[in-house]
Amino acid sequence: MITNRTYAVEPWSVRETALNLDLLAQSESVFALSNGHIGWRGNLDEGEPHGLPGSYLNGVHELHPLPYAEAGYGYPESGQTVINVTNGKLLRLLVDDEPFDLRYGRLVKHERTLDLRRGVLERTCEWTSPAGTTIRVRSTRLVSLTQRAIAAVEYEVEPVDSRTRVVIQSELVTNESLPEPDGDPRTAKALQSPLEPEEDMADGSRLRLVHRTRRSGLRVAVAADHVVDTTGEITTSSESNADVARLTITSVLAPGQRLRVQKTVAHGWSGARSRPAMSDQVEAALAAAAHSGWDGLVAEQCAYLEDFWARADVEVHGDEEIQQAVRFALFHVLQAGARAEQRAIPAKGLTGSGYDGHAFWDTEMFVLPVLTYTEPKAVAEALRWRRDTLPAARDRATQLGLRGAAFPWRTIDGSEGSAYWPAGTAAFHVAADIAHAAVRYTAATGDTDFERDTALELLVETARLWRSLGHHDHHGVFHIDGVTGPDEYSAIAYDNTYTNLMARSNLLAAAEACERHPDEAARLGVDDEESAAWRDAAESVHIPYNEEIGVHEQHAGFTRHQRWDFADTGADQYPLMLHFPYFDLYRKQVIKQSDLVLAMYTCGSWFDAHCDEDQIARNFAYYEPLTVRDSSLSACCQAVVAAQTGHLRLAYDYAAEAALMDLADLEHNTRDGLHIASLAGTWMALVAGFGGTRRDGDGLRFTPRLPEKFSRLAFRLQFRGRCLRVEIGADKATYTLLSGAPLTIHHHGSALTVNGDGPVTRAVPAPKRRPTPEQPPHRRPNAR
């Protein structure tokens, strides 16, 4: 955890004013740049010192055997792990024969700034070598949001006090030495030099390396070109071997003279294309980037982000930290998905190798909601990736004795990568999460072509899974047994409420989509009998409820379990999974992350139809003292429902925890990469929590309420070709249509229409006062 303020609190940037080597790995994640296809961790330009070197291409992974003490039928045999591909960031520097290494000499000044409006990482450094020579180094780095294959850096050196010999070595390096990973030694072995050389080239200012993974058979090509500018004379030379290509630039500079290198790096990978084709691909990408030039790449990046912020910005008045954090969050969520283009959005994005680079259900339920209303094209691409992995999901369902598609709990290539089946295979809710995301996207965009060509097949195959996984009892009630819901401390449960309600929504959505697209449904083999069976299962699904205490159960029988002994659980025993056996966690009332509470948000229409506000408040109050938030996914969900039930101070505290998850390293693992879902949850806490934003069929409804700490909150949403701005004050909300046709929305249950004639303002009623629920000991929201 970062206990001292490391980053200056500024509305449009994250600025580090001093270099703390103990926090270098965390800052490398915070300062990572990505476009969803390429990921560059925020390593120092010179490569060393570093916490974790990281250059990633979305989808590039290596295979390794999964460990089992005992074999079992249906266990996945092969794991997938993201690998560090060829590093094109490197610009090593020698100053009068002294390596520029910040661990030696004297660091006079070091500042790095992530500019959220320009999409660049800027660095300024002043350093005195052990021999007494002082230089200034400036660099600007970007990963292009407009040219998918391109990343670039401008690096400038200037002597301060004496004539100085400067040597810059610009390199491409493959199979870098990495810190030993914790855990399975077989994974570590698979990641030792995972790339086999196929081609190396150095010709003038141009460098290129082509490699192939040993087991997964993926070919990776990286090429670089350079523009060198100086007022002094220079000499250059280039060389290459199997794993290194290098351009060396030498000059002697007087004080005030500068040596500037603009390095452009092109990336590509394929599991099918030949070596010559991959070489040509990255050379073509370099040619396109050269046409723009460095200034053009920066201008394109600024224009892209100007457009994004115009339709996605969230303004927070009254809390500067949360203002900075939500823009930081939106920027990284955008980076994770902007150019992923039919690839997964991993839980860490492309900011680190945590979770082995896998994608989970986090994508559909936390990340895609943000992108649906801010960058919807990225959502369509992410869901097309899920459609493309349907063959693997169908095979997995067949292996499990089920129909339809069983999507993996964790994956890179679409196959199951979880070796622990209670938290992996049994978490079938991922299928409904994918369906939910497809329905959400279609409702928010009106993209009927997508619904017909992509969403329908996802809905049909997931509906078939639920119909075969569940069963009707002798009373005709539909049950889904032996599954794991979002709460990973309650595995192999009966009738998990979240799973059952999400399955219900999935089944009904599939039946309705088949009615709208009968020809495509027939092509998928859906007939009236199958569609009717889906509806019947949906309408009769069991939702467990404890009449005695008046709350919905997280799963059948949960409220009759013994409560966890919180009084004898010390602060140093969290997260519980690292100190207690899962056997004990599974049979007690203790919750890792919000489950029933999440259901009240994601399936709010069902709760609205079957419950009053007091029932929802009772549910929330019951589960709060049991939820220990050993997952970064929990705080944002609790923030949303806390706001809904009128606990605005508690909602504010949870929103702050989600917002500062990485900027303050609250879970002590930001070094492995950012928590992209928690970052997305910052938006969720503000927009769905305090904004009260909910999708209502093909419309939007709002129940805004502002915490005392905020004087004003404003946000923008993209919805069916419109851009809507919502501004919330202490006692009123204002809705302004910035573009598009008139739109009818609901404010606290009342319909209103916004159009181009001007803003519409409505009063915000005060929430009903209720006792604030307790949290488990030692687990109150992280105070700042």
Side-chain angles (χ1 to χ4, degrees):
M1 184 172 173
I2 300 173
T3 54
N4 297 318
R5 178 169 287 176
T6 301
Y7 309 110
V9 178
E10 298 168 345
W12 284 104
S13 63
V14 178
R15 184 162 54 92
E16 176 191 69
T17 56
L19 187 67
N20 185 339
L21 294 181
D22 293 333
L23 298 176
L24 195 56
Q26 290 91 325
S27 67
E28 288 168 354
S29 297
V30 168
F31 290 136
L33 295 176
S34 171
N35 60 12
H37 177 61
I38 305 164
W40 275 6
R41 276 177 65 83
N43 307 116
L44 300 177
D45 301 284
E46 302 78 30
E48 294 184 10
H50 60 243
L52 174 66
S55 301
Y56 310 109
L57 286 173
N58 194 349
V60 175
H61 65 280
E62 187 55 297
L63 303 174
H64 59 88
L66 287 172
Y68 298 103
E70 296 183 25
Y73 176 78
Y75 285 9
E77 296 180 358
S78 181
Q80 312 134 46
T81 299
V82 65
I83 63 171
N84 186 33
V85 300
T86 302
N87 184 357
K89 301 188 294 286
L90 288 171
L91 287 151
R92 303 192 194 278
L93 174 62
L94 277 77
V95 179
D96 284 340
D97 301 324
E98 291 272 4
F100 175 51
D101 188 323
L102 302 181
R103 293 168 292 191
Y104 305 98
R106 184 170 66 92
L107 187 58
V108 180
K109 175 184 178 182
H110 195 277
E111 182 171 299
R112 289 187 289 176
T113 302
L114 179 63
D115 189 322
L116 304 175
R117 281 189 286 205
R118 297 173 62 229
V120 297
L121 176 63
E122 297 176 304
R123 177 190 183 203
T124 302
C125 174
E126 189 168 313
W127 175 77
T128 301
S129 74
T133 302
T134 301
I135 61 164
R136 291 193 188 97
V137 173
R138 300 179 184 87
S139 71
T140 303
R141 180 187 297 176
L142 67 81
V143 173
S144 177
L145 294 164
T146 59
Q147 300 193 37
R148 183 173 183 251
I150 295 297
V153 57
E154 183 178 69
Y155 190 84
E156 182 181 272
V157 184
E158 175 189 359
V160 172
D161 54 8
S162 63
R163 189 172 177 83
T164 305
R165 179 178 292 105
V166 171
V167 180
I168 294 176
Q169 295 174 309
S170 175
E171 297 181 340
L172 304 179
V173 177
T174 309
N175 292 321
E176 291 177 285
S177 295
L178 299 175
E180 285 293 327
D182 297 330
D184 182 14
R186 282 172 285 192
T187 302
K189 185 176 180 180
L191 298 182
Q192 290 175 3
S193 300
L195 290 163
E196 294 184 323
E198 290 192 328
E199 175 183 294
D200 62 270
M201 185 276 287
D203 183 9
S205 65
R206 224 163 179 94
L207 310 173
R208 186 172 68 245
L209 295 176
V210 182
H211 288 73
R212 196 177 188 196
T213 55
R214 299 178 188 278
R215 297 174 179 83
S216 56
L218 305 178
R219 183 168 280 116
V220 175
V222 178
D225 201 3
H226 305 78
V227 175
V228 181
D229 179 33
T230 182
T231 53
E233 294 185 0
I234 62 169
T235 59
T236 64
S237 62
S238 58
E239 59 186 319
S240 66
N241 58 44
D243 283 345
V244 178
R246 178 184 300 116
L247 172 67
T248 302
I249 306 159
T250 305
S251 184
V252 177
L253 304 175
Q257 289 186 312
R258 298 175 182 179
L259 173 60
R260 181 184 299 116
V261 178
Q262 294 170 346
K263 180 180 184 180
T264 305
V265 187
H267 306 72
W269 75 270
S270 174
R273 304 192 76 198
S274 68
R275 179 189 57 76
M278 292 305 303
S279 294
D280 291 347
Q281 178 179 323
V282 291
E283 291 294 333
L286 281 180
H291 181 74
S292 298
W294 169 260
D295 291 340
L297 289 172
V298 173
E300 291 169 13
Q301 193 87 334
C302 292
Y304 184 102
L305 285 166
E306 183 179 9
D307 180 61
F308 172 73
W309 291 117
R311 50 193 163 78
D313 190 24
V314 175
E315 303 166 53
V316 178
H317 294 258
D319 192 310
E320 294 177 343
E321 274 191 307
I322 292 182
Q323 174 66 90
Q324 178 189 47
V326 69
R327 286 178 175 147
F328 172 78
L330 280 166
F331 177 76
H332 273 291
V333 170
L334 173 68
Q335 287 199 130
R339 303 302 303 273
E341 295 174 11
Q342 297 189 41
R343 295 290 169 193
I345 299 177
K348 297 290 188 182
L350 299 177
T351 67
S353 56
Y355 299 124
D356 289 325
H358 289 181
F360 298 76
W361 70 294
D362 311 16
T363 299
E364 282 76 20
M365 296 309 292
F366 293 84
V367 179
L368 295 194
V370 181
L371 293 174
T372 295
Y373 298 108
T374 59
E375 187 73 6
K377 290 180 182 178
V379 178
E381 294 297 316
L383 290 170
R384 289 188 182 106
W385 171 74
R386 287 291 194 184
R387 178 205 58 196
D388 292 346
T389 65
L390 270 170
R394 290 191 187 101
D395 289 346
R396 182 65 171 155
T398 300
Q399 185 182 35
L400 298 173
L402 301 167
R403 296 189 66 215
F407 283 97
W409 173 242
R410 57 186 302 169
T411 189
I412 294 175
D413 66 358
S415 60
E416 179 61 76
S418 173
Y420 184 61
W421 68 270
T425 298
F428 285 101
H429 67 82
V430 65
D433 301 329
I434 293 166
H436 195 76
V439 171
R440 183 198 308 114
Y441 169 81
T442 304
T445 62
D447 188 346
T448 56
D449 290 341
F450 174 87
E451 181 180 58
R452 181 185 62 251
D453 299 336
T454 299
L456 182 67
E457 191 171 10
L458 290 170
L459 291 168
V460 165
E461 296 293 12
T462 49
R464 285 171 171 161
L465 175 79
W466 295 117
R467 187 61 189 85
S468 65
L469 185 63
H471 68 96
H472 290 277
D473 65 16
H474 64 284
H475 296 295
V477 179
F478 190 72
H479 300 275
I480 303 174
D481 296 333
V483 300
T484 300
D487 172 30
E488 295 165 30
Y489 286 171
S490 301
I492 321 303
Y494 293 85
D495 286 323
N496 171 255
T497 294
Y498 176 88
T499 302
N500 284 16
L501 284 175
M502 290 291 287
R504 174 185 182 275
S505 175
N506 190 166
L507 289 159
L508 290 175
E512 292 163 2
C514 286
E515 283 187 2
R516 289 192 293 272
H517 305 285
D519 293 342
E520 288 74 15
R523 179 180 56 80
L524 295 170
V526 180
D527 57 23
D528 291 344
E529 183 178 353
E530 183 175 27
S531 185
W534 295 342
R535 291 183 183 276
D536 181 49
E539 297 300 348
S540 59
V541 71
H542 180 58
I543 307 301
Y545 184 80
N546 186 318
E547 296 281 356
E548 183 179 353
I549 59 177
V551 298
H552 288 90
E553 295 195 290
Q554 180 170 292
H555 60 76
F558 178 84
T559 56
R560 292 175 176 82
H561 288 179
Q562 180 183 354
R563 285 205 170 206
W564 185 263
D565 185 359
F566 290 105
D568 289 333
T569 303
D572 60 347
Q573 291 180 292
Y574 293 92
L576 299 179
M577 59 188 176
L578 299 183
H579 298 91
F580 298 94
Y582 272 111
F583 155 75
D584 207 21
L585 296 168
Y586 287 166
R587 66 194 187 97
K588 301 285 180 62
Q589 287 192 63
V590 60
I591 300 169
K592 179 180 181 182
Q593 63 203 67
S594 55
D595 191 309
L596 189 282
V597 169
L598 177 60
M600 291 195 294
Y601 166 49
T602 60
C603 302
S605 59
W606 186 90
F607 283 94
D608 289 343
H610 294 82
C611 310
D612 58 20
E613 289 185 0
D614 290 337
Q615 175 66 71
I616 293 171
R618 279 200 307 276
N619 286 348
F620 183 72
Y622 184 86
Y623 288 97
E624 270 294 280
L626 306 176
T627 306
V628 297
R629 299 191 325 286
D630 283 347
S631 166
S632 62
L633 301 180
S634 198
C636 60
C637 308
Q638 290 169 272
V640 171
V641 181
Q644 180 182 347
T645 51
H647 302 299
L648 296 179
R649 178 54 196 258
L650 181 60
Y652 167 82
D653 289 342
Y654 280 138
E657 179 174 305
L660 299 175
M661 186 65 63
D662 289 310
L663 288 175
D665 193 18
L666 297 182
E667 291 211 338
H668 314 283
N669 57 8
T670 297
R671 63 185 181 275
D672 300 325
L674 300 179
H675 299 78
I676 299 299
S678 185
L679 292 174
T682 307
W683 181 93
M684 182 189 296
L686 298 179
V687 173
F690 302 128
T693 307
R694 301 291 188 277
R695 180 177 62 85
D696 187 8
D698 291 341
L700 292 173
R701 56 187 174 90
F702 301 89
T703 53
R705 293 185 175 116
L706 212 58
E708 289 183 1
K709 294 285 186 176
F710 292 174
S711 59
R712 186 165 65 89
L713 171 68
F715 54 87
R716 301 177 184 204
L717 302 173
Q718 304 302 298
F719 188 78
R720 292 193 164 244
R722 290 96 157 178
C723 183
L724 177 70
R725 185 176 187 270
V726 181
E727 181 177 338
I728 306 160
D731 57 2
K732 65 182 179 181
T734 301
Y735 303 91
T736 305
L737 189 67
L738 300 179
S739 64
L743 178 66
T744 298
I745 59 176
H746 285 80
H747 169 85
H748 281 278
S750 299
L752 62 90
T753 299
V754 288
N755 53 42
D757 293 341
V760 178
T761 299
R762 293 289 186 272
V764 172
K768 183 176 180 179
R769 291 188 175 275
R770 296 185 174 93
T772 302
E774 294 296 320
Q775 284 73 47
H778 313 299
R779 303 306 286 172
R780 284 194 55 79
N782 268 294
R784 291 181 289 169

